[in-house]
Amino acid sequence: KNQVEQSPQSLIILEGKNCTLQCNYTVSPFSNLRWYKQDTGRGPVSLTIMTFSENTKSNGRYTATLDADTKQSSLHITASQLSDSASYICVVRENTGFQKLVFGTGTRLLVSP
Amino acid sequence: KAGVTQTPRYLIKTRGQQVTLSCSPISGHRSVSWYQQTPGQGLQFLFEYFSETQRNKGNFPGRFSGRQFSNSRSEMNVSTLELGDSALYLCASSIQPTGKYNEQFFGPGTRLTVL
């Protein structure tokens, strides 16, 4: 069964610190992997998208990595800010006719002052 | 360009009632997907519509239904509401369901509370 697992489930860090969120998937065949940020009570917003051939992609203080061989991705947040407090969701798209999306359950990040 | 809009934003219903949620996609987007989000389960796919046709459906009971209109606006309906239906319902639109233009943009969601 195609799955996406994220860790940790929740995380508290001090403002200004760095953190790394993990995403492991078993989705096959693989099309792409996207990280979303979801603020409380709002819809998810895309941070990065990575295809099979991409290892790293950055969006400001957010850097995503992908190892397609081990089926692992990480999202690194540098110099965290209070506004980074949100849920981060890893989503993998199948490379099939329907191109189904498989969602992780997310990591809830709290940045503390 | 306006984003995905969902109405209403908040809704309170009682068990046994039925509810209709509305989603207006980004202009030019013809694909609309619906998701249920609960704290324990994360985002669960409900269904996807493209050009007024249901293209894909998730593992939800028949009480959950949807449709898409010729202007790409979509509605979802939940009949005979149960307490477990309390959730954030998210709508996402994309230009196409597959291929190069399949990036989904999410709306703010409708928070449904069933009492």
Side-chain angles (χ1 to χ4, degrees), chain A residues 6-112:
Chain A
Q6 294 187 242
S7 62
Q9 280 190 329
S10 61
L11 184 62
I12 302 175
I13 62 172
L14 290 175
E15 186 179 9
K17 298 295 186 181
N18 304 335
C19 68
T20 301
L21 314 180
Q22 298 290 340
C23 172
N24 297 338
Y25 62 93
T26 60
V27 176
S28 182
F30 169 91
S31 177
N32 60 52
L33 183 148
R34 194 185 293 271
W35 283 93
Y36 283 93
K37 177 187 178 188
Q38 184 177 21
D39 293 315
T40 301
R42 309 186 77 164
V45 175
S46 178
L47 291 174
T48 64
I49 180 172
M50 302 179 73
T51 58
F52 186 88
S53 58
E54 296 174 301
N55 300 117
T56 303
K57 185 162 285 188
S58 292
N59 178 1
R61 294 179 297 101
Y62 301 101
T63 299
T65 65
L66 174 65
D67 186 332
D69 292 330
T70 62
K71 298 186 176 181
Q72 295 180 326
S73 177
S74 65
L75 180 69
H76 186 76
I77 304 175
T78 303
S80 61
Q81 300 177 358
L82 297 179
S83 59
D84 293 330
S85 295
S87 288
Y88 292 83
I89 304 171
C90 175
V91 184
V92 180
R93 186 180 286 275
E94 295 178 355
N95 191 16
T96 59
F98 279 116
Q99 296 197 357
K100 175 186 171 186
L101 292 172
V102 184
F103 289 81
T105 53
T107 292
R108 192 166 189 85
L109 174 66
L110 176 63
V111 180
S112 176

Side-chain angles (χ1 to χ4, degrees), chain B residues 2-4 6 8 16 18 20 25 27 29 35 40 51 54 56 63 67 69 71 81-82 96 99 101 103-105 115:
Chain B
V4 178
Q6 292 186 243
Q18 67 97 25
T20 298
S27 177
H29 286 199
Y35 298 90
S51 295
Q54 187 179 88
N56 207 354
R63 301 185 296 107
R67 58 178 176 169
F69 303 95
N71 62 358
L81 284 166
E82 301 177 359
Q96 295 174 1
Y101 300 103
E103 178 184 355
Q104 292 193 343
F105 295 83
L115 303 176

Side-chain angles (χ1 to χ4, degrees), chain B residues 24 79 81 112:
Chain B
S24 292
S79 62
L81 284 166
L112 172 64

